[in-house]
């Protein structure tokens, strides 16, 4: 399975428009080579370099397996018909919240795509811990795309 985040190459800086210093828009996400036995797709965006713990910026799941992309600009919606369901990020809201690290060194941001072998609908609004529990044993394959972002002040 392969994932592409439109707007920046894997391992490169994330443009400001996708961050709290810009428009805070979610980028377009594309994927291919989904395993044949996958039943649904999930997407997680997280910062493993946050000061206290891994910080989750976006949980989006119940994505129909037929889809091969998410449009840019998915914000604070619990359910998007035909697209998927939002979980609760570590900001305490649903939807995408872009990179917003403390000033200083760059942080890495992983967009991780999960092919799940269950088609059981996962409840909207779950936090990362509850989401991980809901998909326990259901991950078929993973793919990730990483970008980095550094705030100057």
């Amino acid at each position: 399975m392969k994932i592409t985040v439109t707007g920046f190459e894997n391992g490169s800086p994330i443009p400001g428009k996708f961050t709290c210093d810009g428009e805070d828009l979610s980028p377009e996400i594309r994927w291919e080579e989904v395993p044949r036995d996958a039943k649904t797709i999930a997407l997680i965006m997280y910062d493993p370099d946050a000061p206290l713990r891994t910080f989750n910026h976006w949980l989006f799941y119940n994505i129909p397996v037929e889809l091969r992309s998410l449009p840019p600009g998915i914000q604070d919606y619990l359910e998007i018909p035909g697209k998927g369901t939002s979980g609760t990020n570590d900001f305490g809201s649903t939807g995408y919240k872009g990179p917003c690290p403390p000033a200083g060194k760059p942080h890495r941001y992983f967009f991780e795509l999960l092919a799940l072998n269950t088609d059981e609908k996962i409840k909207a609004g779950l936090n990362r811990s509850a989401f991980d529990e809901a998909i326990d044993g259901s991950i078929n394959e993973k793919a990730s795309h990483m970008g980095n972002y550094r705030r100057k002040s």
Side-chain angles (χ1 to χ4, degrees), residues 44-124:
I44 304 165
M45 180 197 165
Y46 61 91
D47 170 4
D49 302 318
L52 301 176
R53 67 184 186 336
T54 295
F55 198 87
N56 297 286
H57 286 256
W58 194 17
L59 298 170
F60 198 69
Y61 44 86
N62 296 330
I63 301 168
V65 73
E66 316 70 60
L67 284 185
R68 290 297 180 262
S69 67
L70 290 174
I74 293 179
Q75 299 305 104
D76 192 11
Y77 301 105
L78 264 181
E79 304 260 354
I80 300 175
K83 300 274 189 238
T85 306
S86 286
T88 300
N89 56 45
D90 286 343
F91 290 96
S93 62
T94 56
Y96 175 89
K97 292 290 184 188
C100 200
K105 71 175 194 151
H107 284 216
R108 296 168 297 151
Y109 295 87
F110 289 87
F111 291 79
E112 188 171 77
L113 193 72
L114 310 172
L116 304 176
N117 61 17
T118 179
D119 56 4
E120 185 174 321
K121 188 165 169 98
I122 301 168
K123 180 181 166 187

Side-chain angles (χ1 to χ4, degrees), residues 122-145:
I122 301 168
K123 180 181 166 187
L126 296 182
N127 65 23
R128 179 66 189 270
S129 160
F131 172 76
D132 286 347
E133 188 175 311
I135 65 165
D136 187 41
S138 299
I139 298 173
N140 185 318
E141 194 171 325
K142 295 179 183 183
S144 67
H145 186 102

